[in-house]
Amino acid sequence: MSPQPEQVIVAGWIDWAPEHRDEALKHFQEVTAASLAEPGCLAYVMTGDALNACRVHVFERWTGAAALQAHLDTPHIRSFRERTAHLTRVARQLDRFRVTAAEPMTSQRKDVS
């Protein structure tokens, strides 16, 4: 088996003031399509927490550190930062993971075809 190229995953959460979370999610929705269209973007998901009115969960998967850095420098991300600057961010916990190996997750359950 040949070695897989290193991927980067960004995962965690961002807490916003309760009155700002939905607006933050709206702005995330606006940049999602552009982010998914970027070279090297394998996944880009921001979701509201069902039990915490402040929290947005973050999951991004990139083909490597260069693809992630290019994403952070895009005009749509700069615009996102400008459009959310007035929103109150309370806390955040985001981690960057370097993945050097991955394998499919198996299940005993059969999918409906």
Side-chain angles (χ1 to χ4, degrees):
M1 178 164 57
S2 63
Q4 297 175 338
E6 182 176 273
Q7 293 183 7
V8 174
I9 292 175
V10 176
W13 51 265
I14 304 170
D15 283 352
W16 304 86
E19 66 274 15
H20 291 161
R21 185 196 76 167
D22 289 344
E23 185 176 349
L25 276 170
K26 178 180 82 89
H27 291 298
F28 276 121
Q29 287 174 329
E30 292 169 355
V31 300
T32 295
S35 298
L36 287 168
E38 292 177 45
C41 184
L42 302 171
Y44 195 84
V45 181
M46 311 301 161
T47 58
D49 188 293
L51 299 177
N52 183 334
C54 300
R55 186 153 294 173
V56 173
H57 291 278
V58 174
F59 182 82
E60 303 175 34
R61 186 171 161 215
W62 299 91
T63 56
L68 173 59
Q69 187 57 53
H71 163 71
L72 296 173
D73 294 335
T74 60
H76 58 271
I77 293 302
R78 282 194 300 275
S79 176
F80 168 83
R81 288 179 181 139
E82 291 168 5
R83 288 181 286 139
T84 59
H86 71 284
L87 303 179
T88 303
R89 190 175 80 189
V90 178
R92 79 178 201 153
Q93 173 68 51
L94 293 175
D95 293 304
R96 184 182 313 202
F97 299 90
R98 291 186 302 267
V99 180
T100 57
E103 58 189 46
M105 185 76 177
T106 60
S107 173
Q108 298 299 315
R109 182 179 174 165
K110 302 291 184 207
D111 294 333
V112 176
S113 304

